[in-house]
Amino acid sequence: MVEAGGENTALLRRQVWYLSSYDRTRDVVEWFGGMQRRGRIPSVGSGWSPRWAEARSVAAALARQGDPELLRDFIARSITDNDDFETANLNYWAHWLGLDSRPQTSDDFIAEQERQAWDASSLLRQFAIRLDRAGEYTDLYVHSIWALMLTRRGLADADPRTACGLAARVRTLLDGDGLSQQSRRELESVHYGLRVGGYSNSRSNSEGQQ
């Protein structure tokens, strides 16, 4: 079923990928592996299509299953340095986190480039709260935070409390292992921007508890 259908069943396929990612039984692990071996993992072209959202869901599902490489490759090839995909990623996050409450009957909202129905400060706050427990999705969280702060200047100053909490979590991640090279570069960039803005760890300890 997950391999069949076109755009009309895209949401159903994404739900199958998402729910299956929580199942670590042998049959499901073998099913994921078989999908990869048979080349059934959706690919993304150079422009927006609903297949992008499906490919994102598949990459996230495989990361939850313990294989982070497809998600890291998706971030590097199908989000980074493409304005349409960067915006699509943030739109998708905002919808998934409940910040865009509009009822959706298609994936068209993911591709919206202007007049997003979500607040950037609220999205950054949700990222910051979840960053230290992002687990298998850490690379996706890191890139999304980096992209959001790069494209929406002044977010830290608009919400110092969130910026302080984020600074502490960023420092903790940078002190650990397990980040991809791209994630470490982006997290170092976020850390530098927060430090220049005066949002140090010491300040976060006194003001940034969430």
Side-chain angles (χ1 to χ4, degrees), residues 50-115:
R51 297 286 283 178
W52 179 93
E54 186 176 354
R56 183 186 186 278
S57 294
V58 172
L62 287 171
R64 181 171 287 280
Q65 284 282 317
D67 182 0
E69 294 309 314
L70 185 63
L71 181 58
R72 290 173 176 177
D73 184 71
F74 180 82
I75 293 168
R77 296 176 180 272
S78 301
I79 301 182
T80 305
D81 296 330
N82 183 310
D83 290 343
D84 290 346
F85 292 158
E86 294 283 15
T87 300
N89 179 55
L90 297 177
N91 287 345
Y92 194 100
W93 268 122
H95 177 73
W96 191 80
L97 292 171
L99 301 179
D100 182 353
S101 60
R102 298 173 300 172
Q104 304 295 346
T105 58
S106 73
D107 287 332
D108 292 345
F109 75 96
I110 302 175
E112 291 178 351
Q113 295 295 309
E114 298 179 357
R115 298 181 180 178

Short mmCIF file of all heavy atoms in Angstrom, two decimals, residues 50-115:
data_model
loop_
_atom_site.label_atom_id
_atom_site.label_comp_id
_atom_site.label_asym_id
_atom_site.label_seq_id
_atom_site.Cartn_x
_atom_site.Cartn_y
_atom_site.Cartn_z
N PRO A 50 4.89 17.29 -4.12
CA PRO A 50 4.51 16.59 -2.89
C PRO A 50 5.45 15.45 -2.53
O PRO A 50 5.46 15.00 -1.38
CB PRO A 50 3.10 16.09 -3.22
CG PRO A 50 2.57 17.06 -4.22
CD PRO A 50 3.77 17.42 -5.06
N ARG A 51 6.22 14.97 -3.49
CA ARG A 51 7.18 13.90 -3.19
C ARG A 51 8.24 14.38 -2.21
O ARG A 51 8.84 13.57 -1.50
CB ARG A 51 7.85 13.42 -4.48
CG ARG A 51 6.91 12.79 -5.47
CD ARG A 51 6.47 11.41 -5.03
NE ARG A 51 7.50 10.40 -5.26
CZ ARG A 51 7.38 9.13 -4.93
NH1 ARG A 51 6.29 8.72 -4.32
NH2 ARG A 51 8.34 8.27 -5.17
N TRP A 52 8.47 15.69 -2.16
CA TRP A 52 9.45 16.21 -1.21
C TRP A 52 9.02 15.90 0.22
O TRP A 52 9.82 15.44 1.03
CB TRP A 52 9.60 17.72 -1.39
CG TRP A 52 10.57 18.35 -0.44
CD1 TRP A 52 11.91 18.57 -0.67
CD2 TRP A 52 10.30 18.82 0.89
NE1 TRP A 52 12.48 19.15 0.44
CE2 TRP A 52 11.52 19.31 1.41
CE3 TRP A 52 9.16 18.89 1.67
CZ2 TRP A 52 11.63 19.85 2.69
CZ3 TRP A 52 9.25 19.42 2.95
CH2 TRP A 52 10.47 19.89 3.45
N ALA A 53 7.76 16.15 0.54
CA ALA A 53 7.25 15.89 1.89
C ALA A 53 7.33 14.41 2.22
O ALA A 53 7.65 14.01 3.35
CB ALA A 53 5.82 16.40 2.02
N GLU A 54 7.04 13.56 1.24
CA GLU A 54 7.12 12.13 1.48
C GLU A 54 8.56 11.69 1.71
O GLU A 54 8.85 10.89 2.61
CB GLU A 54 6.51 11.36 0.31
CG GLU A 54 6.44 9.86 0.56
CD GLU A 54 5.74 9.11 -0.56
OE1 GLU A 54 5.21 9.76 -1.48
OE2 GLU A 54 5.73 7.87 -0.50
N ALA A 55 9.47 12.22 0.91
CA ALA A 55 10.88 11.87 1.08
C ALA A 55 11.39 12.32 2.44
O ALA A 55 12.18 11.62 3.09
CB ALA A 55 11.71 12.51 -0.03
N ARG A 56 10.93 13.46 2.91
CA ARG A 56 11.30 13.94 4.24
C ARG A 56 10.80 12.98 5.31
O ARG A 56 11.53 12.64 6.26
CB ARG A 56 10.71 15.34 4.46
CG ARG A 56 11.08 16.01 5.80
CD ARG A 56 10.30 17.32 5.92
NE ARG A 56 10.66 18.11 7.07
CZ ARG A 56 10.20 17.94 8.30
NH1 ARG A 56 9.34 16.94 8.53
NH2 ARG A 56 10.57 18.72 9.30
N SER A 57 9.57 12.52 5.17
CA SER A 57 8.99 11.60 6.15
C SER A 57 9.74 10.27 6.16
O SER A 57 9.97 9.68 7.23
CB SER A 57 7.51 11.37 5.84
OG SER A 57 6.77 12.55 6.01
N VAL A 58 10.10 9.79 4.99
CA VAL A 58 10.84 8.52 4.90
C VAL A 58 12.20 8.66 5.56
O VAL A 58 12.63 7.79 6.33
CB VAL A 58 10.99 8.09 3.44
CG1 VAL A 58 11.91 6.88 3.33
CG2 VAL A 58 9.64 7.76 2.83
N ALA A 59 12.90 9.75 5.27
CA ALA A 59 14.22 9.96 5.86
C ALA A 59 14.13 10.05 7.38
O ALA A 59 14.96 9.48 8.10
CB ALA A 59 14.85 11.23 5.29
N ALA A 60 13.11 10.74 7.88
CA ALA A 60 12.92 10.84 9.34
C ALA A 60 12.57 9.48 9.94
O ALA A 60 13.04 9.13 11.04
CB ALA A 60 11.82 11.86 9.64
N ALA A 61 11.76 8.70 9.24
CA ALA A 61 11.39 7.37 9.73
C ALA A 61 12.61 6.46 9.83
O ALA A 61 12.77 5.74 10.82
CB ALA A 61 10.34 6.76 8.80
N LEU A 62 13.46 6.50 8.83
CA LEU A 62 14.66 5.66 8.87
C LEU A 62 15.61 6.11 9.97
O LEU A 62 16.28 5.28 10.60
CB LEU A 62 15.35 5.68 7.51
CG LEU A 62 14.64 4.87 6.42
CD1 LEU A 62 15.28 5.12 5.06
CD2 LEU A 62 14.67 3.38 6.74
N ALA A 63 15.67 7.41 10.23
CA ALA A 63 16.51 7.90 11.33
C ALA A 63 15.99 7.34 12.66
O ALA A 63 16.77 6.92 13.52
CB ALA A 63 16.51 9.43 11.35
N ARG A 64 14.68 7.33 12.84
CA ARG A 64 14.11 6.77 14.06
C ARG A 64 14.38 5.27 14.16
O ARG A 64 14.51 4.72 15.25
CB ARG A 64 12.60 7.04 14.13
CG ARG A 64 11.96 6.49 15.40
CD ARG A 64 10.53 6.96 15.55
NE ARG A 64 10.46 8.37 15.92
CZ ARG A 64 10.63 8.80 17.17
NH1 ARG A 64 10.90 7.96 18.14
NH2 ARG A 64 10.55 10.08 17.44
N GLN A 65 14.50 4.62 13.02
CA GLN A 65 14.82 3.20 13.01
C GLN A 65 16.31 2.94 13.28
O GLN A 65 16.73 1.80 13.40
CB GLN A 65 14.43 2.58 11.67
CG GLN A 65 12.95 2.35 11.50
CD GLN A 65 12.46 1.12 12.23
OE1 GLN A 65 13.09 0.07 12.21
NE2 GLN A 65 11.32 1.25 12.89
N GLY A 66 17.09 4.02 13.39
CA GLY A 66 18.50 3.87 13.73
C GLY A 66 19.48 4.13 12.61
O GLY A 66 20.68 3.95 12.79
N ASP A 67 18.99 4.57 11.44
CA ASP A 67 19.87 4.85 10.30
C ASP A 67 19.76 6.33 9.96
O ASP A 67 18.83 6.75 9.26
CB ASP A 67 19.47 3.99 9.11
CG ASP A 67 20.37 4.21 7.90
OD1 ASP A 67 21.31 5.03 7.99
OD2 ASP A 67 20.14 3.57 6.85
N PRO A 68 20.71 7.17 10.42
CA PRO A 68 20.59 8.61 10.22
C PRO A 68 21.09 9.10 8.87
O PRO A 68 20.92 10.28 8.54
CB PRO A 68 21.49 9.18 11.33
CG PRO A 68 22.58 8.15 11.46
CD PRO A 68 21.90 6.82 11.22
N GLU A 69 21.69 8.23 8.07
CA GLU A 69 22.38 8.71 6.86
C GLU A 69 21.44 9.27 5.82
O GLU A 69 21.75 10.26 5.16
CB GLU A 69 23.24 7.59 6.27
CG GLU A 69 24.40 7.17 7.17
CD GLU A 69 25.23 8.37 7.62
OE1 GLU A 69 25.56 9.23 6.76
OE2 GLU A 69 25.55 8.46 8.81
N LEU A 70 20.28 8.66 5.62
CA LEU A 70 19.36 9.17 4.61
C LEU A 70 18.84 10.55 5.01
O LEU A 70 18.70 11.44 4.18
CB LEU A 70 18.18 8.21 4.41
CG LEU A 70 17.21 8.61 3.29
CD1 LEU A 70 17.92 8.63 1.94
CD2 LEU A 70 16.01 7.66 3.23
N LEU A 71 18.56 10.75 6.31
CA LEU A 71 18.11 12.06 6.77
C LEU A 71 19.20 13.10 6.58
O LEU A 71 18.93 14.23 6.13
CB LEU A 71 17.68 11.99 8.23
CG LEU A 71 17.16 13.30 8.84
CD1 LEU A 71 15.96 13.82 8.07
CD2 LEU A 71 16.80 13.10 10.32
N ARG A 72 20.42 12.75 6.91
CA ARG A 72 21.53 13.70 6.72
C ARG A 72 21.72 14.03 5.25
O ARG A 72 21.98 15.18 4.88
CB ARG A 72 22.80 13.11 7.32
CG ARG A 72 22.77 13.06 8.85
CD ARG A 72 23.94 12.32 9.44
NE ARG A 72 23.91 12.39 10.91
CZ ARG A 72 24.77 11.78 11.70
NH1 ARG A 72 25.74 11.03 11.18
NH2 ARG A 72 24.66 11.92 13.03
N ASP A 73 21.59 13.02 4.39
CA ASP A 73 21.71 13.26 2.95
C ASP A 73 20.55 14.12 2.45
O ASP A 73 20.74 15.01 1.62
CB ASP A 73 21.74 11.92 2.21
CG ASP A 73 21.96 12.09 0.72
OD1 ASP A 73 23.09 12.45 0.34
OD2 ASP A 73 21.02 11.88 -0.06
N PHE A 74 19.35 13.87 2.98
CA PHE A 74 18.18 14.67 2.58
C PHE A 74 18.38 16.13 2.97
O PHE A 74 18.08 17.04 2.18
CB PHE A 74 16.92 14.11 3.25
CG PHE A 74 15.67 14.87 2.91
CD1 PHE A 74 14.99 14.62 1.72
CD2 PHE A 74 15.16 15.83 3.77
CE1 PHE A 74 13.84 15.33 1.40
CE2 PHE A 74 14.01 16.54 3.46
CZ PHE A 74 13.36 16.29 2.27
N ILE A 75 18.88 16.37 4.18
CA ILE A 75 19.12 17.75 4.61
C ILE A 75 20.13 18.42 3.69
O ILE A 75 19.95 19.57 3.26
CB ILE A 75 19.63 17.77 6.07
CG1 ILE A 75 18.52 17.30 7.02
CG2 ILE A 75 20.11 19.17 6.46
CD1 ILE A 75 19.00 17.02 8.42
N ALA A 76 21.21 17.71 3.37
CA ALA A 76 22.29 18.30 2.57
C ALA A 76 21.87 18.53 1.12
O ALA A 76 22.23 19.55 0.51
CB ALA A 76 23.52 17.39 2.61
N ARG A 77 21.08 17.60 0.55
CA ARG A 77 20.76 17.66 -0.87
C ARG A 77 19.38 18.23 -1.19
O ARG A 77 19.19 18.79 -2.27
CB ARG A 77 20.86 16.25 -1.48
CG ARG A 77 22.25 15.65 -1.44
CD ARG A 77 22.23 14.22 -1.97
NE ARG A 77 23.55 13.61 -1.95
CZ ARG A 77 24.45 13.70 -2.92
NH1 ARG A 77 24.13 14.37 -4.03
NH2 ARG A 77 25.63 13.12 -2.83
N SER A 78 18.45 18.09 -0.24
CA SER A 78 17.06 18.43 -0.56
C SER A 78 16.47 19.51 0.33
O SER A 78 15.26 19.74 0.31
CB SER A 78 16.19 17.17 -0.48
OG SER A 78 16.65 16.19 -1.39
N ILE A 79 17.30 20.15 1.15
CA ILE A 79 16.86 21.33 1.90
C ILE A 79 17.87 22.46 1.76
O ILE A 79 17.53 23.56 1.35
CB ILE A 79 16.66 21.00 3.41
CG1 ILE A 79 15.64 19.88 3.62
CG2 ILE A 79 16.20 22.27 4.14
CD1 ILE A 79 15.38 19.55 5.08
N THR A 80 19.13 22.17 2.10
CA THR A 80 20.16 23.20 2.18
C THR A 80 20.36 23.91 0.84
O THR A 80 20.43 23.28 -0.21
CB THR A 80 21.48 22.56 2.64
OG1 THR A 80 21.26 21.87 3.87
CG2 THR A 80 22.55 23.62 2.85
N ASP A 81 20.48 25.24 0.92
CA ASP A 81 20.81 26.10 -0.21
C ASP A 81 19.73 26.11 -1.30
O ASP A 81 19.98 26.51 -2.43
CB ASP A 81 22.15 25.70 -0.84
CG ASP A 81 23.31 25.88 0.11
OD1 ASP A 81 23.22 26.78 0.97
OD2 ASP A 81 24.29 25.11 0.03
N ASN A 82 18.52 25.70 -0.97
CA ASN A 82 17.40 25.81 -1.89
C ASN A 82 16.29 26.55 -1.15
O ASN A 82 15.70 25.99 -0.20
CB ASN A 82 16.92 24.42 -2.34
CG ASN A 82 15.80 24.48 -3.36
OD1 ASN A 82 14.80 25.16 -3.18
ND2 ASN A 82 15.96 23.74 -4.45
N ASP A 83 16.03 27.77 -1.53
CA ASP A 83 15.09 28.61 -0.77
C ASP A 83 13.70 27.98 -0.70
O ASP A 83 13.03 28.06 0.34
CB ASP A 83 15.00 30.00 -1.40
CG ASP A 83 16.28 30.81 -1.21
OD1 ASP A 83 17.08 30.43 -0.34
OD2 ASP A 83 16.46 31.81 -1.93
N ASP A 84 13.26 27.36 -1.79
CA ASP A 84 11.94 26.74 -1.79
C ASP A 84 11.88 25.61 -0.77
O ASP A 84 10.91 25.48 -0.02
CB ASP A 84 11.61 26.19 -3.17
CG ASP A 84 11.36 27.29 -4.19
OD1 ASP A 84 11.19 28.46 -3.78
OD2 ASP A 84 11.35 26.98 -5.40
N PHE A 85 12.93 24.79 -0.73
CA PHE A 85 12.94 23.65 0.18
C PHE A 85 13.15 24.09 1.62
O PHE A 85 12.60 23.49 2.55
CB PHE A 85 14.01 22.65 -0.23
CG PHE A 85 13.74 21.95 -1.54
CD1 PHE A 85 14.76 21.38 -2.27
CD2 PHE A 85 12.45 21.87 -2.04
CE1 PHE A 85 14.52 20.73 -3.47
CE2 PHE A 85 12.19 21.23 -3.24
CZ PHE A 85 13.23 20.65 -3.97
N GLU A 86 13.96 25.13 1.82
CA GLU A 86 14.14 25.65 3.18
C GLU A 86 12.81 26.13 3.75
O GLU A 86 12.47 25.84 4.90
CB GLU A 86 15.16 26.80 3.18
CG GLU A 86 16.59 26.41 2.82
CD GLU A 86 17.33 25.73 3.97
OE1 GLU A 86 16.69 25.30 4.95
OE2 GLU A 86 18.57 25.60 3.86
N THR A 87 12.07 26.88 2.94
CA THR A 87 10.78 27.37 3.39
C THR A 87 9.80 26.22 3.59
O THR A 87 9.03 26.21 4.57
CB THR A 87 10.20 28.37 2.37
OG1 THR A 87 11.11 29.47 2.23
CG2 THR A 87 8.85 28.90 2.82
N ALA A 88 9.81 25.25 2.69
CA ALA A 88 8.93 24.09 2.82
C ALA A 88 9.20 23.36 4.13
O ALA A 88 8.27 22.92 4.81
CB ALA A 88 9.12 23.15 1.64
N ASN A 89 10.46 23.23 4.48
CA ASN A 89 10.80 22.54 5.73
C ASN A 89 10.24 23.27 6.94
O ASN A 89 9.66 22.66 7.85
CB ASN A 89 12.32 22.43 5.85
CG ASN A 89 12.75 21.73 7.12
OD1 ASN A 89 12.34 20.62 7.42
ND2 ASN A 89 13.59 22.40 7.90
N LEU A 90 10.36 24.59 6.96
CA LEU A 90 9.82 25.37 8.09
C LEU A 90 8.29 25.35 8.10
O LEU A 90 7.68 25.26 9.17
CB LEU A 90 10.36 26.80 8.03
CG LEU A 90 11.88 26.94 8.18
CD1 LEU A 90 12.29 28.40 8.02
CD2 LEU A 90 12.35 26.39 9.53
N ASN A 91 7.67 25.44 6.92
CA ASN A 91 6.21 25.34 6.85
C ASN A 91 5.73 24.00 7.39
O ASN A 91 4.72 23.93 8.11
CB ASN A 91 5.74 25.50 5.40
CG ASN A 91 5.84 26.92 4.89
OD1 ASN A 91 5.98 27.87 5.66
ND2 ASN A 91 5.77 27.08 3.58
N TYR A 92 6.43 22.95 7.03
CA TYR A 92 6.05 21.61 7.48
C TYR A 92 6.17 21.51 9.00
O TYR A 92 5.29 20.96 9.67
CB TYR A 92 6.93 20.57 6.79
CG TYR A 92 6.42 19.15 6.90
CD1 TYR A 92 5.72 18.57 5.85
CD2 TYR A 92 6.63 18.40 8.05
CE1 TYR A 92 5.25 17.27 5.94
CE2 TYR A 92 6.17 17.10 8.15
CZ TYR A 92 5.47 16.54 7.09
OH TYR A 92 5.01 15.26 7.21
N TRP A 93 7.28 22.02 9.54
CA TRP A 93 7.48 22.02 10.99
C TRP A 93 6.34 22.78 11.69
O TRP A 93 5.79 22.31 12.69
CB TRP A 93 8.80 22.69 11.34
CG TRP A 93 9.99 21.80 11.46
CD1 TRP A 93 11.15 21.90 10.75
CD2 TRP A 93 10.17 20.72 12.38
NE1 TRP A 93 12.04 20.93 11.16
CE2 TRP A 93 11.47 20.20 12.16
CE3 TRP A 93 9.38 20.13 13.35
CZ2 TRP A 93 11.98 19.13 12.89
CZ3 TRP A 93 9.88 19.06 14.08
CH2 TRP A 93 11.17 18.56 13.84
N ALA A 94 6.03 23.96 11.18
CA ALA A 94 5.00 24.78 11.82
C ALA A 94 3.66 24.06 11.85
O ALA A 94 2.93 24.11 12.84
CB ALA A 94 4.88 26.13 11.10
N HIS A 95 3.35 23.39 10.77
CA HIS A 95 2.10 22.62 10.72
C HIS A 95 2.15 21.46 11.70
O HIS A 95 1.20 21.24 12.47
CB HIS A 95 1.88 22.11 9.30
CG HIS A 95 0.66 21.25 9.15
ND1 HIS A 95 -0.61 21.76 9.17
CD2 HIS A 95 0.54 19.91 8.99
CE1 HIS A 95 -1.47 20.77 9.02
NE2 HIS A 95 -0.81 19.63 8.91
N TRP A 96 3.25 20.73 11.71
CA TRP A 96 3.38 19.54 12.56
C TRP A 96 3.35 19.90 14.04
O TRP A 96 2.82 19.15 14.86
CB TRP A 96 4.67 18.82 12.21
CG TRP A 96 4.79 17.46 12.82
CD1 TRP A 96 4.22 16.30 12.37
CD2 TRP A 96 5.54 17.10 13.98
NE1 TRP A 96 4.56 15.25 13.18
CE2 TRP A 96 5.37 15.71 14.18
CE3 TRP A 96 6.34 17.83 14.86
CZ2 TRP A 96 5.97 15.04 15.23
CZ3 TRP A 96 6.94 17.15 15.91
CH2 TRP A 96 6.76 15.77 16.09
N LEU A 97 3.90 21.06 14.39
CA LEU A 97 3.94 21.50 15.78
C LEU A 97 2.68 22.28 16.19
O LEU A 97 2.60 22.77 17.32
CB LEU A 97 5.18 22.37 16.02
CG LEU A 97 6.52 21.63 15.93
CD1 LEU A 97 7.68 22.63 15.96
CD2 LEU A 97 6.66 20.61 17.06
N GLY A 98 1.73 22.39 15.29
CA GLY A 98 0.46 23.02 15.63
C GLY A 98 0.47 24.53 15.60
O GLY A 98 -0.45 25.17 16.13
N LEU A 99 1.46 25.13 14.95
CA LEU A 99 1.54 26.59 14.89
C LEU A 99 0.80 27.15 13.69
O LEU A 99 0.56 28.37 13.62
CB LEU A 99 3.01 27.02 14.83
CG LEU A 99 3.87 26.57 16.02
CD1 LEU A 99 5.30 27.02 15.84
CD2 LEU A 99 3.30 27.10 17.33
N ASP A 100 0.46 26.31 12.74
CA ASP A 100 -0.38 26.70 11.61
C ASP A 100 -1.66 25.87 11.72
O ASP A 100 -1.69 24.71 11.34
CB ASP A 100 0.33 26.42 10.29
CG ASP A 100 -0.49 26.85 9.07
OD1 ASP A 100 -1.66 27.23 9.26
OD2 ASP A 100 0.04 26.77 7.95
N SER A 101 -2.68 26.46 12.28
CA SER A 101 -3.89 25.72 12.61
C SER A 101 -4.90 25.66 11.48
O SER A 101 -6.01 25.13 11.65
CB SER A 101 -4.56 26.35 13.84
OG SER A 101 -4.90 27.70 13.59
N ARG A 102 -4.55 26.17 10.32
CA ARG A 102 -5.49 26.14 9.20
C ARG A 102 -5.75 24.69 8.78
O ARG A 102 -4.82 23.90 8.67
CB ARG A 102 -4.92 26.91 8.00
CG ARG A 102 -4.68 28.39 8.23
CD ARG A 102 -3.96 29.00 7.04
NE ARG A 102 -2.67 28.35 6.82
CZ ARG A 102 -1.90 28.57 5.75
NH1 ARG A 102 -2.31 29.41 4.81
NH2 ARG A 102 -0.74 27.96 5.63
N PRO A 103 -6.98 24.33 8.52
CA PRO A 103 -7.26 22.98 8.00
C PRO A 103 -6.68 22.84 6.60
O PRO A 103 -6.80 23.76 5.77
CB PRO A 103 -8.79 22.90 8.00
CG PRO A 103 -9.25 24.33 7.95
CD PRO A 103 -8.23 25.12 8.70
N GLN A 104 -6.02 21.73 6.35
CA GLN A 104 -5.36 21.53 5.06
C GLN A 104 -5.98 20.33 4.36
O GLN A 104 -6.18 19.27 4.96
CB GLN A 104 -3.86 21.30 5.26
CG GLN A 104 -3.14 22.40 6.01
CD GLN A 104 -3.13 23.72 5.26
OE1 GLN A 104 -3.43 23.77 4.07
NE2 GLN A 104 -2.79 24.80 5.96
N THR A 105 -6.25 20.49 3.08
CA THR A 105 -6.79 19.40 2.28
C THR A 105 -5.80 18.91 1.24
O THR A 105 -6.09 17.98 0.49
CB THR A 105 -8.09 19.84 1.59
OG1 THR A 105 -7.81 20.98 0.75
CG2 THR A 105 -9.15 20.21 2.62
N SER A 106 -4.63 19.55 1.19
CA SER A 106 -3.58 19.14 0.26
C SER A 106 -2.25 19.60 0.83
O SER A 106 -2.19 20.24 1.88
CB SER A 106 -3.79 19.75 -1.13
OG SER A 106 -3.50 21.15 -1.12
N ASP A 107 -1.18 19.28 0.12
CA ASP A 107 0.16 19.68 0.55
C ASP A 107 0.57 21.05 0.03
O ASP A 107 1.73 21.45 0.20
CB ASP A 107 1.19 18.64 0.08
CG ASP A 107 1.12 17.35 0.87
OD1 ASP A 107 0.69 17.40 2.04
OD2 ASP A 107 1.48 16.29 0.31
N ASP A 108 -0.34 21.78 -0.58
CA ASP A 108 0.02 23.06 -1.19
C ASP A 108 0.59 24.04 -0.17
O ASP A 108 1.46 24.86 -0.50
CB ASP A 108 -1.19 23.69 -1.87
CG ASP A 108 -1.64 22.90 -3.10
OD1 ASP A 108 -0.87 22.06 -3.57
OD2 ASP A 108 -2.78 23.13 -3.56
N PHE A 109 0.13 23.97 1.08
CA PHE A 109 0.60 24.93 2.10
C PHE A 109 2.09 24.78 2.35
O PHE A 109 2.75 25.74 2.75
CB PHE A 109 -0.17 24.72 3.40
CG PHE A 109 0.25 23.51 4.19
CD1 PHE A 109 1.18 23.63 5.22
CD2 PHE A 109 -0.27 22.25 3.90
CE1 PHE A 109 1.57 22.51 5.94
CE2 PHE A 109 0.12 21.15 4.61
CZ PHE A 109 1.04 21.27 5.64
N ILE A 110 2.63 23.60 2.13
CA ILE A 110 4.06 23.37 2.39
C ILE A 110 4.92 24.22 1.48
O ILE A 110 6.01 24.68 1.87
CB ILE A 110 4.41 21.87 2.22
CG1 ILE A 110 3.56 21.02 3.17
CG2 ILE A 110 5.89 21.62 2.46
CD1 ILE A 110 3.77 19.52 2.98
N ALA A 111 4.44 24.48 0.28
CA ALA A 111 5.22 25.21 -0.71
C ALA A 111 5.03 26.72 -0.65
O ALA A 111 5.64 27.45 -1.43
CB ALA A 111 4.89 24.70 -2.11
N GLU A 112 4.19 27.21 0.26
CA GLU A 112 3.93 28.66 0.33
C GLU A 112 5.21 29.43 0.64
O GLU A 112 5.89 29.13 1.61
CB GLU A 112 2.88 28.95 1.40
CG GLU A 112 1.49 28.46 1.05
CD GLU A 112 0.49 28.74 2.16
OE1 GLU A 112 0.91 29.16 3.26
OE2 GLU A 112 -0.71 28.53 1.93
N GLN A 113 5.51 30.41 -0.16
CA GLN A 113 6.73 31.19 0.02
C GLN A 113 6.47 32.53 0.71
O GLN A 113 7.39 33.14 1.23
CB GLN A 113 7.39 31.44 -1.34
CG GLN A 113 7.90 30.18 -2.02
CD GLN A 113 9.01 29.53 -1.23
OE1 GLN A 113 9.99 30.19 -0.85
NE2 GLN A 113 8.89 28.24 -0.97
N GLU A 114 5.25 32.98 0.72
CA GLU A 114 4.92 34.27 1.32
C GLU A 114 3.70 34.13 2.21
O GLU A 114 2.89 33.21 2.06
CB GLU A 114 4.65 35.31 0.22
CG GLU A 114 5.86 35.56 -0.68
CD GLU A 114 5.56 36.57 -1.76
OE1 GLU A 114 4.38 37.02 -1.82
OE2 GLU A 114 6.46 36.91 -2.53
N ARG A 115 3.59 35.05 3.15
CA ARG A 115 2.43 35.12 4.04
C ARG A 115 2.21 33.83 4.82
O ARG A 115 1.10 33.30 4.89
CB ARG A 115 1.18 35.47 3.23
CG ARG A 115 1.26 36.82 2.55
CD ARG A 115 -0.02 37.13 1.80
NE ARG A 115 0.05 38.43 1.14
CZ ARG A 115 -0.92 38.93 0.38
NH1 ARG A 115 -2.04 38.23 0.20
NH2 ARG A 115 -0.78 40.11 -0.19
#
